Every structure is written in structure tokens, then in C-alpha cells.
Amino acid sequence: MKKQYVLKGSYDFDFVAIAINSHTKAYSLCWFLNKELGLNFEKNTDHYIAEDMFFSRYSALVSEGESYQLLSNRSKKGYLLTSHKKIDYFLIVSKIKWQKKRKEFMQKLKNISNILLVFELELNKILQAKRLITND
């Protein structure tokens, strides 16, 4: 009789992912984020999952260790997180000082008229959450 072992563990993410629904294009959404949050988003190289699956990415570096990335959830070949097909963008925020500024940050995002829905994802409950990790 074969024995089956299951390895259980969780990954400790060093960032927070915020789901955003918006009908605007990514570059336009970045403009609104720059204006409301005082950031400086710039177009970055696309985020590749596979050879034919790439997602647009914009980055803003505020200070050492504090950074923001806006990732599109849709590409021509599929979704970044297939469990969240109705989400348009993911805003990746480094965890430094996140608990202190979380409430104010989320309120500022909700005040942007072009954002329809915004909420924080529970990354430990999402199977494909590792796809949000960028290597730069």
C-alpha cells in the first residue's frame, strides 16, 4: 500500500495586493493614481508568465523599500489570476509601513472617480498568488 504525503505550508508575501476594477486604460489609471496619491508611475517591461502570456506593468518607486506596481489582469492569451477574472488590475504595494497607512491609502483609492471597486486580496487563500511576484 502506497503512502501519500501532503506538504502543507504558506508563503509569506512581502507585499500586499489590491484588486481594482476600472473601465479606463492602464496608462490613464496611472495618471489618476499619480494625481491622487502623489506617486510617479512609469511604464515598465511587461510581466511574463509564459512565452505567450504577458501583462502590462507600471511601477513607481517612492523610497528604498517602498514601491508600487500596477499589473493588468488580462492578456490576449488569458488571465494573470484565473480565479479573479472580473478584476481589471492589481496594485502591488510593498508591506513597509502598510498597517499604518492602510486605511488612508484605501480611502484615497476609493475617492478616485474612475475606480469602480477596490479591495485587498488575501494572498494566502489564492492558489496562483505567486504569479504576482515580479523579479526586479
Side-chain angles (χ1 to χ4, degrees):
M1 182 175 218
K2 290 184 179 181
K3 288 186 179 182
Q4 183 176 3
Y5 297 99
V6 177
L7 179 63
K8 290 185 179 180
S10 63
Y11 189 82
D12 186 29
F13 294 99
D14 63 343
F15 60 86
V16 175
I18 299 170
I20 297 176
N21 270 4
S22 177
H23 294 304
T24 61
K25 300 281 186 190
Y27 62 87
S28 181
L29 181 60
C30 286
W31 186 83
F32 287 110
L33 292 172
N34 288 343
K35 183 178 173 185
E36 184 67 31
L37 301 172
L39 300 174
N40 188 19
F41 276 97
E42 296 177 354
K43 177 74 171 135
N44 206 332
T45 58
D46 290 338
H47 180 57
Y48 287 88
I49 299 299
E51 274 187 36
D52 57 347
M53 287 185 70
F54 55 94
F55 304 89
S56 63
R57 179 172 62 148
Y58 294 82
S59 300
L61 180 65
V62 176
S63 64
E64 187 62 37
E66 186 178 0
S67 63
Y68 302 87
Q69 292 191 45
L70 184 72
L71 293 170
S72 175
N73 189 33
R74 295 185 176 111
S75 75
K76 293 180 180 180
K77 298 285 184 173
Y79 294 93
L80 184 60
L81 295 183
T82 56
S83 60
H84 291 77
K85 291 181 179 179
K86 295 186 179 188
I87 301 300
D88 296 318
Y89 303 100
F90 297 107
L91 182 62
I92 309 299
V93 181
S94 61
K95 272 191 178 177
I96 295 179
K97 301 177 187 173
W98 174 246
Q99 292 304 324
K100 291 181 182 178
K101 64 180 181 178
R102 178 182 184 267
K103 189 174 182 179
E104 179 185 350
F105 189 83
M106 293 298 280
Q107 189 58 45
K108 285 182 179 181
L109 287 176
K110 290 176 184 178
N111 289 340
I112 298 173
S113 61
N114 290 41
I115 293 180
L116 305 173
L117 174 70
V118 60
F119 62 93
E120 188 176 339
L121 294 173
E122 294 182 43
L123 294 175
N124 290 327
K125 294 184 178 181
I126 299 172
L127 293 176
Q128 296 175 327
K130 290 181 183 178
R131 287 183 163 196
L132 295 173
I133 298 173
T134 57
N135 295 324
D136 29 89

Coordinates of all heavy atoms in Angstrom, one line a residue, residues 60-115:
A60 N 6.2 52.4 -9.7 CA 6.5 53.7 -9.0 C 7.3 53.4 -7.8 O 6.9 52.6 -6.9 CB 5.2 54.4 -8.6
L61 N 8.5 54.0 -7.7 CA 9.4 53.8 -6.5 C 9.4 55.1 -5.7 O 9.8 56.1 -6.2 CB 10.8 53.5 -7.0 CG 11.9 53.2 -5.9 CD1 11.5 52.0 -5.1 CD2 13.2 53.1 -6.5
V62 N 8.9 55.0 -4.5 CA 8.8 56.2 -3.6 C 10.1 56.4 -2.9 O 10.7 57.4 -2.9 CB 7.6 56.1 -2.7 CG1 7.6 57.2 -1.7 CG2 6.3 55.9 -3.5
S63 N 10.5 55.4 -2.2 CA 11.8 55.4 -1.4 C 12.3 54.0 -1.4 O 11.7 53.0 -1.9 CB 11.6 55.9 0.0 OG 10.7 55.0 0.7
E64 N 13.5 53.8 -0.8 CA 14.1 52.5 -0.7 C 13.2 51.5 0.1 O 12.8 51.8 1.2 CB 15.5 52.6 0.0 CG 16.2 51.3 0.0 CD 16.6 50.8 -1.4 OE1 16.9 51.7 -2.3 OE2 16.5 49.6 -1.6
G65 N 12.7 50.5 -0.6 CA 11.8 49.5 0.1 C 10.3 49.8 -0.1 O 9.5 49.0 0.1
E66 N 10.0 51.0 -0.5 CA 8.6 51.4 -0.7 C 8.3 51.5 -2.2 O 8.8 52.5 -2.8 CB 8.2 52.7 0.1 CG 6.7 53.0 0.0 CD 6.4 54.2 0.8 OE1 7.3 54.8 1.4 OE2 5.2 54.5 0.8
S67 N 7.6 50.6 -2.7 CA 7.3 50.6 -4.2 C 5.9 50.2 -4.5 O 5.2 49.6 -3.6 CB 8.3 49.7 -4.9 OG 8.1 48.4 -4.5
Y68 N 5.5 50.6 -5.7 CA 4.1 50.2 -6.1 C 4.2 49.7 -7.6 O 5.0 50.2 -8.3 CB 3.2 51.5 -6.1 CG 3.1 52.1 -4.8 CD1 4.0 53.1 -4.3 CD2 2.1 51.8 -3.9 CE1 3.9 53.7 -3.1 CE2 2.0 52.4 -2.6 CZ 2.9 53.3 -2.2 OH 2.8 53.9 -1.0
Q69 N 3.4 48.7 -7.9 CA 3.3 48.2 -9.2 C 1.9 48.0 -9.6 O 1.1 47.5 -8.8 CB 4.1 46.9 -9.4 CG 5.6 47.1 -9.2 CD 6.3 45.8 -9.6 OE1 6.0 45.2 -10.6 NE2 7.2 45.4 -8.8
L70 N 1.5 48.4 -10.8 CA 0.2 48.2 -11.3 C 0.3 47.1 -12.4 O 1.0 47.3 -13.4 CB -0.4 49.5 -11.9 CG -1.9 49.4 -12.4 CD1 -2.8 49.2 -11.2 CD2 -2.3 50.6 -13.2
L71 N -0.4 46.0 -12.2 CA -0.4 44.9 -13.2 C -1.8 44.7 -13.8 O -2.8 44.7 -13.1 CB 0.0 43.6 -12.5 CG 1.4 43.5 -12.0 CD1 1.6 42.2 -11.1 CD2 2.4 43.5 -13.1
S72 N -1.8 44.6 -15.1 CA -3.1 44.2 -15.7 C -3.4 42.8 -15.5 O -2.5 41.9 -15.4 CB -2.9 44.5 -17.2 OG -4.1 44.1 -17.9
N73 N -4.6 42.4 -15.3 CA -5.0 41.1 -15.1 C -5.3 40.3 -16.4 O -5.4 39.1 -16.4 CB -6.3 41.0 -14.2 CG -6.6 39.6 -13.8 OD1 -5.7 38.8 -13.6 ND2 -7.9 39.3 -13.6
R74 N -5.4 41.0 -17.5 CA -5.8 40.4 -18.8 C -4.7 40.5 -19.8 O -4.0 41.5 -20.0 CB -7.0 41.1 -19.4 CG -8.2 40.9 -18.5 CD -9.5 41.5 -19.1 NE -10.6 41.2 -18.3 CZ -11.3 42.1 -17.7 NH1 -11.0 43.3 -17.7 NH2 -12.4 41.7 -16.9
S75 N -4.5 39.4 -20.6 CA -3.7 39.5 -21.8 C -4.4 38.8 -22.9 O -5.6 38.4 -22.7 CB -2.3 38.7 -21.5 OG -2.6 37.3 -21.5
K76 N -3.8 38.8 -24.1 CA -4.5 38.1 -25.2 C -4.7 36.6 -25.0 O -5.6 36.0 -25.6 CB -3.8 38.4 -26.5 CG -3.8 39.9 -26.9 CD -3.0 40.1 -28.1 CE -3.1 41.6 -28.5 NZ -2.3 41.9 -29.7
K77 N -3.9 36.0 -24.2 CA -3.9 34.6 -24.0 C -4.5 34.1 -22.7 O -4.7 32.9 -22.5 CB -2.5 34.0 -24.1 CG -1.8 34.2 -25.4 CD -2.4 33.3 -26.5 CE -1.6 33.5 -27.8 NZ -2.0 32.6 -28.8
G78 N -4.9 35.0 -21.8 CA -5.5 34.6 -20.6 C -5.4 35.6 -19.5 O -5.2 36.8 -19.7
Y79 N -5.6 35.1 -18.2 CA -5.6 36.0 -17.1 C -4.4 35.7 -16.2 O -3.9 34.6 -16.1 CB -6.9 35.7 -16.2 CG -8.1 36.1 -17.0 CD1 -8.8 35.2 -17.8 CD2 -8.6 37.4 -16.9 CE1 -10.0 35.5 -18.4 CE2 -9.8 37.7 -17.6 CZ -10.5 36.8 -18.3 OH -11.6 37.2 -19.0
L80 N -4.0 36.7 -15.5 CA -2.9 36.6 -14.5 C -3.4 35.7 -13.3 O -2.7 34.8 -13.0 CB -2.5 38.0 -14.0 CG -1.3 38.1 -13.1 CD1 0.0 37.5 -13.7 CD2 -1.0 39.5 -12.7
L81 N -4.5 36.0 -12.8 CA -5.1 35.2 -11.8 C -6.5 34.7 -12.3 O -7.4 35.5 -12.3 CB -5.3 36.0 -10.5 CG -4.1 36.4 -9.7 CD1 -4.5 37.1 -8.4 CD2 -3.2 35.3 -9.4
T82 N -6.6 33.5 -12.7 CA -7.8 33.0 -13.3 C -9.0 32.9 -12.3 O -10.1 32.9 -12.7 CB -7.6 31.6 -13.9 OG1 -7.1 30.7 -12.9 CG2 -6.6 31.7 -15.1
S83 N -8.7 32.9 -11.0 CA -9.7 32.9 -10.0 C -10.4 34.2 -9.8 O -11.4 34.4 -9.2 CB -9.2 32.4 -8.7 OG -8.2 33.2 -8.2
H84 N -9.8 35.3 -10.4 CA -10.3 36.6 -10.3 C -10.5 37.3 -11.7 O -9.9 38.3 -12.0 CB -9.4 37.5 -9.4 CG -9.4 37.1 -8.0 ND1 -8.7 36.0 -7.5 CD2 -10.0 37.7 -7.0 CE1 -8.9 35.9 -6.2 NE2 -9.7 36.9 -5.9
K85 N -11.2 36.6 -12.6 CA -11.4 37.0 -13.9 C -12.1 38.4 -14.1 O -11.9 39.1 -15.1 CB -12.1 36.0 -14.7 CG -11.4 34.7 -15.0 CD -12.2 33.7 -15.8 CE -11.4 32.5 -16.0 NZ -12.1 31.5 -16.8
K86 N -12.9 38.8 -13.1 CA -13.6 40.0 -13.2 C -12.8 41.2 -12.7 O -13.3 42.4 -12.9 CB -14.9 39.9 -12.4 CG -15.8 38.9 -13.0 CD -17.1 38.9 -12.3 CE -18.0 37.8 -13.0 NZ -19.4 37.8 -12.6
I87 N -11.6 41.0 -12.2 CA -10.8 42.1 -11.8 C -9.9 42.6 -13.0 O -9.4 41.8 -13.7 CB -9.8 41.6 -10.6 CG1 -10.6 41.1 -9.5 CG2 -8.9 42.7 -10.2 CD1 -11.5 42.1 -8.8
D88 N -9.8 43.9 -13.1 CA -9.1 44.5 -14.2 C -7.6 44.7 -13.9 O -6.7 44.4 -14.7 CB -9.7 45.9 -14.6 CG -11.1 45.8 -15.1 OD1 -11.4 44.8 -15.9 OD2 -11.9 46.6 -14.7
Y89 N -7.3 45.2 -12.7 CA -5.9 45.5 -12.3 C -5.5 45.0 -10.9 O -6.4 44.9 -10.1 CB -5.6 47.0 -12.4 CG -5.9 47.6 -13.8 CD1 -7.1 48.3 -14.0 CD2 -5.0 47.4 -14.8 CE1 -7.3 48.8 -15.2 CE2 -5.3 47.9 -16.1 CZ -6.4 48.6 -16.3 OH -6.7 49.1 -17.5
F90 N -4.3 44.8 -10.7 CA -3.8 44.5 -9.3 C -2.7 45.6 -9.0 O -1.8 45.8 -9.8 CB -3.1 43.1 -9.2 CG -4.1 42.0 -9.5 CD1 -4.1 41.3 -10.7 CD2 -5.1 41.7 -8.6 CE1 -5.0 40.3 -10.9 CE2 -6.0 40.7 -8.8 CZ -6.0 40.0 -10.0
L91 N -2.9 46.2 -7.9 CA -1.9 47.2 -7.4 C -1.1 46.5 -6.3 O -1.6 46.1 -5.3 CB -2.6 48.4 -6.8 CG -1.7 49.5 -6.3 CD1 -0.8 50.1 -7.4 CD2 -2.5 50.6 -5.7
I92 N 0.2 46.3 -6.6 CA 1.1 45.6 -5.6 C 1.8 46.7 -4.8 O 2.5 47.5 -5.4 CB 2.1 44.7 -6.4 CG1 1.4 43.8 -7.4 CG2 3.0 44.0 -5.4 CD1 0.4 42.9 -6.9
V93 N 1.7 46.6 -3.5 CA 2.2 47.6 -2.6 C 3.2 46.9 -1.6 O 2.8 45.8 -1.1 CB 1.1 48.3 -1.8 CG1 1.7 49.3 -0.8 CG2 0.1 48.9 -2.7
S94 N 4.4 47.4 -1.5 CA 5.3 46.8 -0.5 C 4.8 47.0 0.9 O 4.1 47.9 1.2 CB 6.7 47.5 -0.6 OG 6.6 48.8 -0.4
K95 N 5.1 46.0 1.8 CA 4.5 46.0 3.1 C 5.0 47.0 4.1 O 4.6 47.1 5.2 CB 4.6 44.6 3.7 CG 3.5 43.7 3.3 CD 3.6 42.4 4.2 CE 2.4 41.5 3.9 NZ 2.5 40.2 4.6
I96 N 6.1 47.7 3.7 CA 6.7 48.6 4.7 C 5.7 49.7 5.1 O 5.1 50.4 4.2 CB 8.0 49.2 4.1 CG1 9.0 48.2 3.8 CG2 8.5 50.3 4.9 CD1 10.3 48.6 3.2
K97 N 5.4 49.8 6.3 CA 4.5 50.8 6.9 C 3.1 50.6 6.4 O 2.3 51.5 6.5 CB 5.0 52.2 6.7 CG 6.4 52.5 7.2 CD 6.8 53.9 6.8 CE 8.2 54.1 7.2 NZ 8.7 55.4 6.7
W98 N 2.7 49.4 5.9 CA 1.4 49.3 5.3 C 0.3 49.4 6.4 O -0.7 50.0 6.1 CB 1.3 47.9 4.6 CG -0.1 47.6 4.1 CD1 -0.9 46.6 4.5 CD2 -0.8 48.3 3.1 NE1 -2.1 46.7 3.9 CE2 -2.1 47.7 3.0 CE3 -0.5 49.4 2.3 CZ2 -3.0 48.2 2.1 CZ3 -1.5 49.9 1.4 CH2 -2.7 49.3 1.3
Q99 N 0.5 48.8 7.5 CA -0.6 48.8 8.5 C -0.9 50.2 9.0 O -2.0 50.5 9.3 CB -0.2 47.9 9.7 CG -0.2 46.4 9.4 CD -1.5 45.9 8.8 OE1 -2.6 46.4 9.2 NE2 -1.4 45.0 7.8
K100 N 0.1 51.1 9.0 CA -0.1 52.5 9.5 C -0.9 53.3 8.5 O -1.7 54.1 8.8 CB 1.3 53.2 9.7 CG 2.0 52.6 10.9 CD 3.3 53.4 11.1 CE 4.1 52.8 12.3 NZ 5.4 53.5 12.4
K101 N -0.6 53.1 7.2 CA -1.2 53.9 6.1 C -2.3 53.2 5.4 O -2.9 53.8 4.4 CB -0.2 54.4 5.2 CG 0.5 53.3 4.4 CD 1.5 54.0 3.5 CE 2.2 52.9 2.7 NZ 3.2 53.5 1.7
R102 N -2.7 52.0 5.8 CA -3.7 51.2 5.0 C -5.0 51.9 4.9 O -5.5 52.0 3.8 CB -3.9 49.8 5.7 CG -4.9 49.0 5.1 CD -5.1 47.7 5.9 NE -5.9 46.8 5.2 CZ -7.3 46.7 5.5 NH1 -7.8 47.5 6.4 NH2 -8.0 45.9 4.8
K103 N -5.6 52.3 6.0 CA -6.9 52.9 5.9 C -7.0 54.2 5.1 O -7.9 54.4 4.2 CB -7.4 53.3 7.4 CG -8.8 53.7 7.5 CD -9.2 53.8 8.9 CE -10.6 54.2 9.1 NZ -11.0 54.3 10.5
E104 N -6.0 55.1 5.2 CA -5.9 56.3 4.5 C -5.7 56.0 3.0 O -6.3 56.6 2.1 CB -4.8 57.2 5.0 CG -4.6 58.5 4.3 CD -3.4 59.3 4.7 OE1 -2.8 58.9 5.8 OE2 -3.1 60.2 4.0
F105 N -4.8 55.1 2.7 CA -4.5 54.7 1.3 C -5.7 54.1 0.6 O -6.0 54.5 -0.5 CB -3.4 53.7 1.3 CG -2.8 53.4 0.0 CD1 -1.8 54.2 -0.6 CD2 -3.2 52.3 -0.8 CE1 -1.3 53.9 -1.9 CE2 -2.7 52.0 -2.0 CZ -1.8 52.8 -2.6
M106 N -6.4 53.2 1.2 CA -7.6 52.6 0.6 C -8.7 53.7 0.4 O -9.4 53.7 -0.6 CB -8.2 51.5 1.5 CG -7.2 50.3 1.6 SD -6.9 49.5 0.0 CE -8.4 48.5 -0.2
Q107 N -8.8 54.6 1.3 CA -9.8 55.7 1.2 C -9.5 56.6 0.0 O -10.4 57.0 -0.8 CB -9.9 56.5 2.5 CG -11.1 57.5 2.5 CD -12.4 56.8 2.3 OE1 -12.7 55.8 2.9 NE2 -13.2 57.4 1.4
K108 N -8.2 56.9 -0.2 CA -7.8 57.7 -1.4 C -8.1 57.0 -2.7 O -8.5 57.6 -3.6 CB -6.3 58.0 -1.3 CG -6.0 59.1 -0.3 CD -4.5 59.4 -0.3 CE -4.1 60.5 0.7 NZ -2.7 60.8 0.7
L109 N -7.9 55.7 -2.7 CA -8.2 54.9 -3.9 C -9.7 54.9 -4.2 O -10.2 55.0 -5.3 CB -7.8 53.4 -3.7 CG -6.3 53.2 -3.8 CD1 -6.0 51.7 -3.6 CD2 -5.8 53.6 -5.2
K110 N -10.5 54.8 -3.1 CA -12.0 54.8 -3.3 C -12.5 56.2 -3.8 O -13.6 56.3 -4.4 CB -12.7 54.4 -2.0 CG -12.5 53.0 -1.6 CD -13.1 52.6 -0.3 CE -12.8 51.2 0.1 NZ -13.3 50.8 1.4
N111 N -11.7 57.2 -3.5 CA -12.1 58.6 -3.9 C -11.9 58.9 -5.4 O -12.4 59.8 -5.9 CB -11.4 59.7 -3.1 CG -11.9 59.7 -1.6 OD1 -13.0 59.2 -1.3 ND2 -11.1 60.2 -0.7
I112 N -11.1 58.0 -6.0 CA -10.8 58.2 -7.5 C -12.1 57.8 -8.2 O -12.6 56.7 -8.1 CB -9.6 57.4 -7.9 CG1 -8.4 57.9 -7.2 CG2 -9.4 57.5 -9.4 CD1 -7.1 57.1 -7.4
S113 N -12.6 58.7 -9.0 CA -13.9 58.5 -9.7 C -13.9 57.4 -10.7 O -14.9 56.8 -11.0 CB -14.4 59.8 -10.3 OG -13.5 60.3 -11.3
N114 N -12.7 57.2 -11.3 CA -12.6 56.1 -12.4 C -12.4 54.7 -11.8 O -12.4 53.8 -12.6 CB -11.4 56.5 -13.3 CG -11.7 57.7 -14.1 OD1 -12.3 58.6 -13.7 ND2 -11.4 57.6 -15.4
I115 N -12.3 54.6 -10.5 CA -12.2 53.3 -9.9 C -13.5 52.9 -9.4 O -14.2 53.5 -8.6 CB -11.1 53.3 -8.7 CG1 -9.7 53.5 -9.3 CG2 -11.2 52.0 -8.0 CD1 -8.6 53.5 -8.3

